[in-house]
Amino acid sequence: MSMRLTLVRIDPEVLWAVRARPELAGEILSGHSREEDVFTDDYLALGDIAEGRAEAEHGDARWGRHYPWLAAATGADGEHDLQGHTFGYGPPFALDPERVAEVARGLAGEGWGFAAAGQDGFAGLGPFYTAAAREGGAVVGGVS
């Protein structure tokens, strides 16, 4: 089974339309966005890596508990779910520019996605959020 995490940077104006009509998130996530506005990775592999790290560092594999910024970045915390629509394996989620900036800082603090490519399994996640924050962008995400 394959589960893909897809994140797309969107303009803040688009965020309000997505929140009003959550089905638009599926269109955005399935659409053809500019490559630099998209992050995608194997969600199951990311979860395995996060569980392994949580177990090694905290003696507890519940990674969302120990890495709340990673959970926010991947939508695993459920705090910003778009209710009323399903995308793949659950509701999509949307983060406003302020939350995107918080997530970028939080990922750096937790040490996710800033290692050399392939070293932590999250190569590109931190830089994706950092670039979105620098541009004042919002993020829509989901797992399919």
Side-chain angles (χ1 to χ4, degrees):
M1 172 170 50
S2 176
M3 295 175 74
R4 301 293 302 167
L5 170 67
T6 301
L7 306 171
V8 178
R9 186 197 66 79
I10 59 173
D11 291 327
E13 297 79 33
V14 175
L15 175 64
W16 312 126
V18 168
R19 286 186 172 160
R21 295 185 45 219
E23 67 275 9
L24 292 175
E27 294 175 26
I28 292 168
L29 292 168
S30 299
H32 301 285
S33 299
R34 296 179 315 161
E35 186 176 322
E36 61 270 16
D37 290 338
V38 178
F39 172 87
T40 185
D41 209 334
D42 182 331
Y43 186 75
L44 294 176
L46 296 177
D48 289 345
I49 291 165
E51 284 179 5
R53 181 174 162 192
E55 181 67 40
E57 293 178 358
H58 303 283
D60 176 4
R62 292 175 291 177
W63 62 268
R65 174 187 219 188
H66 302 292
Y67 310 117
W69 293 110
L70 179 62
T74 60
D77 65 359
E79 288 185 30
H80 298 279
D81 287 353
L82 297 169
Q83 299 301 321
H85 183 69
T86 298
F87 176 77
Y89 291 96
F93 64 97
L95 305 175
D96 65 28
E98 182 179 324
R99 187 66 172 166
V100 168
E102 292 171 347
V103 168
R105 288 188 300 273
L107 286 172
E110 290 177 355
W112 294 107
F114 292 93
Q119 286 186 354
D120 69 2
F122 291 82
L125 182 63
F128 169 82
Y129 271 99
T130 299
R134 185 175 42 250
E135 296 167 10
V139 170
V140 172
V143 177
S144 61

